[in-house]
Amino acid sequence: MTTPNEYINTVGKAFEKFEASLNGSKSTFLHELRKESLAAILKSGLPGPKHEEYRYTNFGKALEKSIAYEGIVAETAAASAPTPLDSFEGYKLYFVNGKLDASRSDLGDLSEKVTVTSLASAVKEQGDLKEYLGSIVKSWPDAFSHLNTAFAKEGVFIRVKKNTILDKPLYIIHSNDTSATEVLAHYRNLAIVEEGSQLKVIEANFSTGANTSYTNTVLEIFCKKNASVEWSKLQLENETALRIDNSLVYQERDSKCTINTITLSGQMVRNNLYIALDDENTEAHMYGLYLIDGKTHVDNHTSVDHRKPNSFSNELYKGIMDDQSHGVFNGKIFVRQDAQKTNAFQQNNNILLSPNAVINTKPQLEIWADDVKCSHGCTTGQLDNEQLFYLRARGISEDKARAMLLHAFAGDVIANISVGPVKEYLEQLITDKIEN
Amino acid sequence: MLKIKNLKASVEGKMILNGINLEVKPGEVHAIMGPNGSGKSTLASVLAGREDYQIEGGEVEYIGKDLLDLSPEERAREGVFLAFQYPVEIPGVSTTNFLKAALNQVREHHGKPALDAVSFLKLMKEKMALVEIDQALLSRSLNEGFSGGEKKRNEIFQMAMLEPKLAILDETDSGLDIDALRIVANGVNKLKTRDNATILITHYQRLLDYIVPDFVHVLYKGRIIKSGDKSLALQLEEKGYDWIKEEADTVSA
Ligand SMILES: Nc1ncnc2c1ncn2[C@@H]1O[C@H](COP(=O)(O)OP(=O)(O)OP(=O)(O)O)[C@@H](O)[C@H]1O
Ligand SMILES: [Mg+2]
């Protein structure tokens, strides 16, 4: 086995190959950013078990065990399989094994007030990209987002121009097929939602195959004045998938943003969600569900940064863990000295269905302002026996009663997804999973 | 229909029922009264199959079956219904879905097909009228945020939907206003047939004005220490429990 340093050296070598493959796009600002990020990651290395933010989730080690970073430039065959979302009404972008599948993607009659394009085209065509790309990452850096910045070539750029409501949701559907070989995918997504505009995105992730699927994705959302964004992540990969997701949001005055993170499977999933509320009257909602079994490991780290007065954040994460699955929740709330009259709520509730399932949950509140309303709570337990008995005493079987209670528990989170077919699809998945 | 013989039960090592004997025949109404903590709800829970209680002895025969051998859901499907003294709130489970699941599992047990949505709604409407319960209440999560009286009324509504053979009503009258009491009692009376039986657990004679019992029993320290007809309830209303307690305590001393 390699030591962490040796592994990081292979990352460095992989970058040399990657650079050589870039062919002409080396002169862009993006390439400077790549080099800076590579230098940062080579210096810091990947976070080990002693790293406070990664103590329960040794993602670096999992990566090292199954992914050779040199593979980064290898092009893997893209077999595009149908997904359950294909028939849902909306704009669609498909990515297979880290690459856009243009043949299946369909942006239909997208208004000229909305730009949806690849990262590569955005670098060429969007003159102001430089101001945005990587700017939120700067206030909330992470080793894996550096890695992403160094290597990401693919991704979606979205701009919704002033006072425009995207009429249908945009679906970004990723599938990794690892039946032939492992797959490495780096995605870099960026959304600029201009003043008074609205955007709904559903990002869904699937994987098949017995080799490791590794996805490192970074999303930055700029939610301008009075804009509104709902971004839902459906993490539905198989038991050989490693996923690290850094999602970062910057909100201006009167804006509202909802991030839904639903994880139903995978090998190891780490979500870092960061929301900066940088003006008054901003509203952030963070909802998460991890309903896992087998050996799945899911870690949600969230941070909301109240920088200015009169902002509101509301967070609800719920977990149901069976078998030997492992859940981690860490919720940070910062209320800066300026941020008087902040309202911040956080709740994390967990049900352990097996004696071998584990949850580590920790709220972290740092409050520097004095006139604020903050509350947080976390619970971990089993199903309520009184409730179970009540249902059974009416003739409902024990299994069905359990399923009803678990469904009700998870339903609180799913209820926040406003796109009807997606909500129904998830409800069905949850039912199947609970009743299996 | 129900024969309880020398039933003993404990919870967390503490004996609560110390030898209950009771026989209930089809068509009968039995009232069980007794001071707080005497074991009335425990008896009801043991009959419904709550697993927290340990059976320490005795037997219970119900329509020819060994009741203690059945799971709570099997008992319910065979027609045992417990209206809870404290119905639990179940957020996120809609009353309608819950009742549909319950009714259809009971029907399946009896080899009947599941009710389709239309027939189910029709049945709901009919039974809602019977217990004068509001549609708005039933579209909410099961008992969530219901007032005490609303919870009790919902219990009787469920009973009307499930049409049990043996209904055990644990202080269903407590917390009901005067009108609600009359409505609930009326509902119970309308559901009464020659083939089903009712056990009413209550503290108040008031309920027994509406639902006239064939027998009244007094439970004290886990035993039935006195049985009589409806006049016993009137006597208790007037004199309290002390006189019977004294009788019982001197006998057992
Ligand atoms: N789970 C339990 N753990 C410990 N003690 C219990 C438990 N359940 C019941 N008991 C005790 O058993 C005794 C009988 O309780 P039960 O609820 O049956 O009384 P009751 O006759 O219904 O009273 P009330 O008129 O107040 O409803 C009480 O002393 C009660 O504290
Ligand atoms: Mg009681």
Side-chain angles (χ1 to χ4, degrees), chain A residues 386-387 390 392 394-395 397, chain B residues 73 77 82 105 155 158:
Chain A
E386 296 282 317
Q387 296 180 341
Y390 189 91
R392 294 176 71 194
R394 296 295 180 253
S397 70
Chain B
E73 54 269 36
R77 293 169 193 169
L82 169 61
Q105 291 211 347
E155 293 292 291
Q158 292 173 35

Side-chain angles (χ1 to χ4, degrees), chain B residues 237-249:
Chain B
E237 180 89 347
E238 197 182 314
K239 300 201 277 183
Y241 289 113
D242 281 353
W243 61 285
I244 321 186
K245 280 190 199 171
E246 269 163 37
E247 270 180 40
D249 288 336

Side-chain angles (χ1 to χ4, degrees), chain A residues 139-152:
Chain A
S139 23
W140 198 249
D142 173 79
F144 295 97
S145 31
H146 288 318
L147 207 51
N148 176 283
T149 309
F151 287 104

Side-chain angles (χ1 to χ4, degrees), chain A residues 258-392:
Chain A
T258 301
I259 307 285
N260 304 309
T261 308
I262 315 297
T263 314
L264 302 187
S265 50
Q267 178 186 331
M268 184 180 272
V269 179
R270 168 63 180 254
N271 294 305
N272 292 322
L273 172 62
Y274 170 77
I275 301 185
L277 298 174
D278 204 22
D279 208 339
E280 294 201 37
N281 198 31
T282 45
E283 196 177 320
H285 297 265
M286 294 160 277
Y287 301 106
L289 172 70
Y290 38 104
L291 164 55
I292 50 179
D293 53 12
K295 290 186 170 164
T296 300
H297 180 114
V298 176
D299 182 340
N300 281 294
H301 267 61
T302 68
S303 316
V304 57
D305 185 0
H306 290 264
R307 297 179 181 172
K308 300 280 158 64
N310 291 311
S311 59
F312 170 70
S313 69
N314 179 34
E315 174 166 30
L316 174 68
Y317 271 68
K318 286 192 159 189
I320 301 175
M321 280 137 289
D322 201 353
D323 303 331
Q324 299 161 65
S325 60
H326 188 166
V328 180
F329 174 81
N330 180 293
K332 294 184 178 62
I333 300 176
F334 302 105
V335 181
R336 307 223 190 163
Q337 203 164 5
D338 244 11
Q340 299 295 354
K341 307 268 183 211
T342 286
N343 278 309
F345 303 104
Q346 181 190 93
Q347 187 72 35
N348 173 233
N349 303 316
N350 298 286
I351 292 181
L352 298 176
L353 294 177
S354 136
N356 299 318
V358 177
I359 176 74
N360 301 105
T361 169
K362 184 177 171 192
Q364 260 180 284
L365 277 59
E366 273 184 40
I367 298 169
W368 301 100
D370 42 34
D371 184 13
V372 300
K373 256 193 229 148
C374 281
S375 78
H376 68 92
C378 58
T379 61
T380 297
Q382 281 82 38
L383 282 178
D384 184 320
N385 270 328
E386 296 282 317
Q387 296 180 341
L388 263 182
F389 179 64
Y390 189 91
L391 298 176
R392 294 176 71 194

